[in-house]
């Protein structure tokens, strides 16, 4: 494990780096790296790990196994060396949900009850936007699996950050200064929650270990030494506010989820980083990771990380969160959903592989595009989408085909699909002005005003006289700045 359990990388300068069995050139995640690797390698059926900031959930995600963080206080931590008592939990890993549930029944001392299906599935769109994994490999897998697993669940899309900003007033103390009067970042509440968790963790770590550190002066690994130094400099002024945020977060998340709700988000903001990546290059990944991890961490809710296929040959993981004390409900929900999640991930991977093996036929692609254009002019948008999709199968590197399909999706008010196609088009051709305009339109309708504003401004960079972009920038200025 990492020194003093103070990292999510799974790197130890003194005893070596545990090898990630499913992605050998990438970190295994920490701090409970040894436990996760032992399970992923098939050496044991399950293993215990501690989770304060994410030390079970992250290695589970990186090693492609199941990881469970119980409700805070649900499993006794008596006998453990504390890191931060307000956040510490004892969790566990397994390769299948049957073992995960059995371990949970023992540790949680749960009586047998009939399974109660979740009636509300809440998709945290802003949390998914923190992930670098493509939508079709994460969010789409989750939604399709949920629709198959449960009998007509109410699937609700929401911006969790906005919800918390409106309902956790103490977060305002941790949002940081807004430079030059600019608007707050879209995910400011998630950032504020992360800042509150970090300060609370540092202060309690200092309280527990300052004397030992000053006396022993341990040789600590990269990054960890800096974190310990920052923790020792923490003062108690804002700790009461941290605890208030924790209490408000628990109340607000419990009210949101009630007894039958599940919150869905990525476990991590992307695939595991490569081994020996410099600590400075991991800063953004770490910050986004804790925006996700702090939701359960500060609310005390239970969370399970589920493998959901691969992206770029590395594991992808999704998380389910239930209200505090609903550990049995969450374990049962994971047990029902997980097999379908695996099948859906395999199906999408297989479909992607099939598309990639289609022979490159540029002439056929152009013919399909022209058919799509005709269908679009005739306002047969579904047919247009099918034709543009056929063009993409014959030539998946042509930005125009994705941009045209996005236009058809916009005409059908399928804004999420339109945004995804525009992102692909822009990845292929960053000067594709139509893709920027269409993505801006999709994002404006989805309520992502800041990102929409950026797209329209980029369109003006590419074509300064573009009237559509100019009008959109003026329109969004009123929404964002006035």
């Amino acid at each position: 494990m990492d020194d003093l359990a103070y990292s999510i990388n799974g790197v130890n300068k003194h005893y070596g780096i545990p090898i990630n069995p499913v992605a050998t050139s990438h970190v295994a995640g920490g701090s409970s790296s040894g436990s996760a690797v032992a399970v992923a390698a098939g050496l044991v059926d399950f293993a215990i790990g501690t989770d304060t900031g994410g030390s079970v959930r992250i290695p589970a995600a990186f090693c492609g196994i199941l990881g469970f963080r119980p409700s805070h206080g649900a499993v006794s931590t008596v006998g453990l060396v504390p890191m931060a008592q307000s956040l510490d939990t004892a969790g566990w890993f397994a390769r299948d949900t049957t073992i995960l549930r059995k371990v949970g029944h023992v540790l949680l001392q749960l009586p047998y009850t009939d399974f109660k299906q979740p009636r509300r599935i809440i998709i945290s769109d802003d949390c998914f936007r923190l992930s670098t994994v493509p939508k079709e490999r994460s969010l789409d897998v989750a939604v399709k699996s949920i629709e198959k697993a449960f009998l007509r669940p109410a699937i609700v899309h929401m911006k969790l950050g906005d919800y918390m900003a409106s309902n956790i007033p103490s977060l305002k103390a941790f949002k940081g200064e807004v430079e030059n009067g600019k608007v707050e970042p879209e995910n400011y509440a998630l950032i504020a929650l992360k800042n509150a968790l970090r300060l609370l963790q540092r202060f309690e770590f200092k309280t527990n270990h300052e004397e030992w550190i000053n006396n022993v002066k341990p040789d600590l690994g990269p990054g960890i030494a800096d974190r310990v130094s920052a923790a020792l400099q923490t003062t108690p002024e804002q700790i009461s506010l941290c605890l208030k945020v924790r209490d408000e977060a628990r109340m607000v998340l419990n009210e949101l989820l009630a007894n039958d709700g599940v919150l869905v988000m990525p476990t991590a903001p992307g695939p595991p980083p490569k081994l020996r990546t410099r600590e400075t290059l991991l800063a953004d990944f770490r910050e986004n990771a804790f925006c996700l991890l702090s939701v359960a961490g500060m609310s005390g809710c239970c969370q399970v990380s589920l493998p959901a296929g691969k992206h770029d040959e590395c594991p992808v993981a999704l998380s389910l969160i239930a209200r505090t004390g609903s550990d049995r409900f969450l374990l049962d929900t994971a047990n029902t959903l997980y097999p379908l999640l695996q099948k859906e991930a395999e199906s999408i991977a297989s479909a992607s592989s099939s598309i990639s093996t289609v022979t490159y036929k540029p002439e056929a692609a152009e013919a399909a595009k022209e058919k799509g254009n005709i269908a679009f002019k005739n306002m047969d948008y579904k047919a247009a989408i099918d034709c543009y999709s056929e063009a993409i199968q014959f030539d998946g590197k042509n930005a125009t085909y994705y941009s045209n399909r996005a236009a058809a999706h916009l005409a059908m008010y399928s804004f999420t699909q339109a945004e995804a196609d525009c992102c692909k088009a822009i990845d292929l051709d960053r000067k594709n002005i139509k893709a920027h305009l269409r993505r801006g339109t999709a994002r404006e309708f989805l309520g992502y005003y800041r990102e929409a504003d950026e797209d329209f401004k980029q369109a003006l960079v590419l074509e300064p006289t573009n009237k559509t972009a100019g009008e959109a920038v003026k329109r969004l200025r009123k929404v964002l700045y006035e």
Side-chain angles (χ1 to χ4, degrees):
M1 67 183 292
D2 300 89
D3 294 346
L4 303 177
Y6 218 150
S7 176
I8 58 172
N9 293 337
V11 175
N12 189 299
K13 67 176 287 187
H14 307 287
Y15 300 104
I17 302 172
I19 297 174
N20 186 335
V22 296
T24 55
S25 62
H26 297 255
V27 299
S31 64
S32 302
S33 51
S35 296
V37 166
V39 172
L43 301 177
V44 294
D45 291 328
F46 72 92
I48 305 298
T50 58
D51 189 312
T52 301
S55 294
V56 165
R57 292 163 288 170
I58 288 295
F62 286 1
C63 290
I65 58 175
L66 299 140
F68 194 87
R69 174 194 165 98
S71 300
H72 186 258
V75 176
S76 174
T77 55
V78 173
L80 296 180
V81 176
M83 184 186 194
Q85 295 92 315
S86 296
L87 307 168
D88 290 344
T89 62
W92 59 97
F93 303 92
R95 290 188 304 279
D96 65 77
T97 51
T98 300
I99 297 295
L100 193 79
R101 289 173 75 218
K102 287 182 178 179
V103 175
H105 289 181
V106 173
L107 293 179
L108 296 163
Q109 301 179 23
L110 296 172
Y112 176 80
T113 57
D114 291 332
F115 172 48
K116 177 180 65 177
Q117 287 204 14
R119 299 182 64 184
R120 293 179 305 113
I121 307 291
I122 302 167
I123 308 292
S124 178
D125 288 333
D126 48 350
C127 289
F128 275 98
R129 291 174 70 82
L130 291 173
S131 174
T132 59
V133 178
K135 173 178 169 290
E136 62 269 17
R137 292 297 180 94
S138 56
L139 179 57
D140 289 354
V141 173
V143 172
K144 291 177 182 178
S145 303
I146 289 164
E147 289 174 343
K148 294 175 181 177
F150 306 115
L151 183 62
R152 288 195 287 273
I155 299 178
V156 179
H157 289 261
M158 72 177 297
K159 293 181 182 178
L160 182 63
D162 287 355
Y163 179 82
M164 292 194 298
S166 299
N167 292 279
I168 306 178
S170 299
L171 278 179
K172 293 179 181 178
F174 296 95
K175 67 182 180 182
E177 295 183 0
V178 181
E179 298 181 3
N180 301 322
K182 293 181 180 178
V183 295
E184 297 158 341
E186 180 186 19
N187 57 345
Y188 104 78
L190 295 173
I191 295 172
L193 192 69
K194 172 204 68 180
N195 291 341
L197 179 144
R198 179 172 293 168
L199 183 57
L200 180 59
Q201 181 181 19
R202 285 176 175 175
F203 181 76
E204 293 190 346
F205 177 88
K206 173 185 177 180
T207 302
N208 293 324
H209 303 294
E210 181 178 27
E211 182 179 355
W212 179 83
I213 290 169
N214 287 336
N215 290 336
V216 175
K217 296 179 173 55
D219 178 21
L220 301 172
I224 296 176
D226 294 336
R227 280 174 222 126
V228 169
S229 176
L232 296 185
Q233 297 174 37
T234 306
T235 57
E237 282 78 12
Q238 282 192 298
I239 301 307
S240 60
L241 264 176
C242 290
L243 295 173
K244 189 173 182 182
V245 168
R246 184 198 62 177
D247 293 343
E248 289 178 357
R250 175 172 295 196
M251 180 184 69
V252 166
L253 265 294
N254 284 346
E255 287 179 354
L256 173 66
L257 297 172
N259 292 317
D260 58 3
V262 172
L263 181 65
V264 183
M265 64 172 63
T267 304
K274 288 191 174 182
L275 288 167
R276 297 176 181 84
T277 301
R278 284 184 296 173
E279 189 71 23
T280 53
L281 299 179
L282 295 174
D284 287 345
F285 185 94
R286 183 178 175 84
E287 294 301 303
N288 287 337
F290 277 97
C291 283
L292 300 172
L293 296 166
S294 63
V295 175
M298 283 299 274
S299 67
C301 292
C302 48
Q303 179 173 348
V304 61
S305 179
L306 305 173
K310 288 190 172 185
H311 173 60
D312 288 342
E313 302 303 317
C314 288
V316 173
L318 297 170
S319 271
L320 309 180
I321 296 176
R323 67 169 290 153
T324 306
S326 292
D327 302 71
R328 171 76 187 239
F329 166 68
L330 186 60
L331 284 167
D332 288 345
T333 299
N335 187 55
T336 301
L337 179 62
Y338 182 56
L340 293 164
L341 195 64
Q342 295 300 291
K343 288 182 180 178
E344 193 61 43
E346 291 172 3
S347 175
I348 289 177
S350 176
S352 177
S353 176
S354 298
I355 291 173
S356 65
T357 58
V358 172
T359 304
Y360 173 62
K361 297 180 178 179
E363 296 84 3
E366 276 297 301
K369 183 200 76 170
E370 291 304 321
K371 289 180 181 178
N373 290 347
I374 293 170
F376 189 92
K377 290 177 182 177
N378 293 330
M379 294 189 290
D380 189 351
Y381 303 120
K382 179 65 173 64
I385 289 171
D386 292 340
C387 290
Y388 294 137
S389 297
E390 183 181 354
I392 290 168
Q393 287 185 8
F394 289 125
D395 182 4
K397 300 297 183 181
N398 191 310
T400 298
Y401 303 157
Y402 289 97
S403 180
N404 285 9
R405 189 169 69 177
H409 279 306
L410 283 175
M412 295 184 68
Y413 305 103
S414 299
F415 302 116
T416 302
Q417 292 91 330
E419 183 195 27
D421 272 345
C422 288
C423 287
K424 183 65 177 179
I426 292 167
D427 284 343
L428 293 168
D429 178 10
R430 296 194 175 276
K431 294 184 178 181
N432 190 315
I433 187 170
K434 289 183 178 179
H436 282 288
L437 290 170
R438 288 163 183 166
R439 188 169 71 173
T441 301
R443 287 176 166 178
E444 185 175 359
F445 273 101
L446 288 168
Y448 303 135
Y449 300 122
R450 295 174 183 85
E451 290 84 352
D453 187 49
E454 291 171 3
D455 277 321
F456 289 125
K457 286 179 178 176
Q458 182 60 33
L460 285 175
V461 170
L462 296 171
E463 188 180 300
T465 60
N466 189 284
K467 292 183 179 180
T468 300
E471 291 172 358
V473 169
K474 291 179 182 178
R475 182 172 64 249
L476 286 168
R477 185 181 298 125
K478 296 180 181 179
V479 176
L480 292 171
Y481 302 104
E482 296 180 6

